[in-house]
Amino acid sequence: MKKEKISIIVPCYNEEEAIPYFYEEIKKVAQEMNYVTFEYLFINDGSKDNTLEKLRELSRKDKKVRYISFSRNFGKEAAMYAGLKNVTGDYVAIMDADLQDPPSLLPKMYNYLKNEDYDTVGTRRVTRKGEPPIRSFFARMFYKIINKMSKVEMVDGARDYRLMKRQVVDAIIELKEYNRYSKGLFSFVGFNTKWIEYENVKRVAGETKWSFWKLFLYALDGITAFSVVPLAMASIMGLLFCFIAFVMIIVIICKTLIWGDPVSGWPSMVCIIFLVSGVQLFCIGILSQYLSKTYLETKNRSIYIIKETEKDNK
Ligand code: UDP
Ligand code: MG
């Protein structure tokens, strides 16, 4: 019988230091799992260091190593999408290059898909050890908020590290949206998911590519991509303020009729003007978030652009 193939997608952005460690580690796991064949697809997401050179070298040495190099940095989401579209395996895993997603979990994940009725195995960190506490706090808040707002469940601590069957991969690449938020997309497509938990692991080399600000914007992307509750909130707030204004008008009319109209109260007036215009701007802000996403979506721009692959390196 022909052996089944597992494809590993590895998004890499400035990972020249981590790639050699990663390759050694994944090779060990591949040797251990000799009942399947492997394919490694590295995505060079416009790295500014020698990542591409490292990948060229590896792919010359080992024909299981394939790579796709983007024309610039398109972001991890784009890299994952490019990977999913271009792999050929019966099973597909996504893994970070920094070994924060332990390759040693693969045999276990494969067993779940093979012997039990699961279509995809996801991983989640149960601890956030080694992460700044403030970041953990905001991460927790984000999951609380988004799960209240969205029907699609986002699992707290879920990593992008997962192994899935071909069928799931095909479902994901069917979703061609430009604003990609994979954690949501994976839940959106459904299928039976097994969650494996593990402790946070520190990066083997290099440093994280996510600043607090980048994560914050990514969190907003997640919310706008999977919930329209903020839009409803804007309308509700508008209604509430109309109601308050209506009551106040009646109160003022009555007051004027009973006590006349002494010239006073402008400080309160200024406060009200500030408050109401603040609320208006906030609501317009929410609207423009969605508008801008729709704008980008309708442009239908390519999610990534390939400059070079292993086929150009022969
Ligand atoms: N990454 C990428 N493009 C980017 C940012 C990150 O392909 O614009 C890759 C990066 O090389 C790594 C993975 O995404 O393999 C996760 O990034 P990182 O380890 O910096 O994130 P963290 O684990 O700290 O959340
Ligand atoms: Mg990492």
Side-chain angles (χ1 to χ4, degrees), residues 110-126:
Y110 177 74
N111 273 343
Y112 276 119
L113 295 188
K114 198 74 199 148
N115 305 324
E116 284 179 46
D117 193 22
Y118 289 113
D119 306 295
T120 154
V121 183
T123 57
R124 55 186 287 260
R125 300 188 283 190
V126 273

Side-chain angles (χ1 to χ4, degrees), residues 15 76 96-101 125 159 200-205 207-210:
E15 299 284 9
K76 189 184 178 190
D96 284 8
D98 55 10
L99 290 176
Q100 275 188 310
D101 301 331
R125 300 188 283 190
R159 307 265 317 160
N200 196 21
V201 189
K202 278 222 173 91
R203 240 177 186 280
V204 57
E207 51 194 52
T208 177
K209 311 295 179 301
W210 296 86

Side-chain angles (χ1 to χ4, degrees), residues 11-19 42-58 67 69 97 209:
C12 304
Y13 178 51
N14 298 343
E15 299 284 9
E16 59 171 358
E17 291 163 56
I19 285 171
F42 290 86
I43 316 290
N44 173 33
D45 183 15
S47 301
K48 292 179 183 68
D49 62 358
N50 282 323
T51 300
L52 180 56
E53 209 25 71
K54 284 259 151 61
L55 295 180
R56 285 188 187 133
E57 211 176 286
L58 279 181
Y67 68 87
S69 184
K209 311 295 179 301

Side-chain angles (χ1 to χ4, degrees), residues 238-248:
L239 270 180
L240 188 74
F241 271 79
C242 285
F243 178 74
I244 294 174
F246 183 71
V247 172
M248 270 165 58

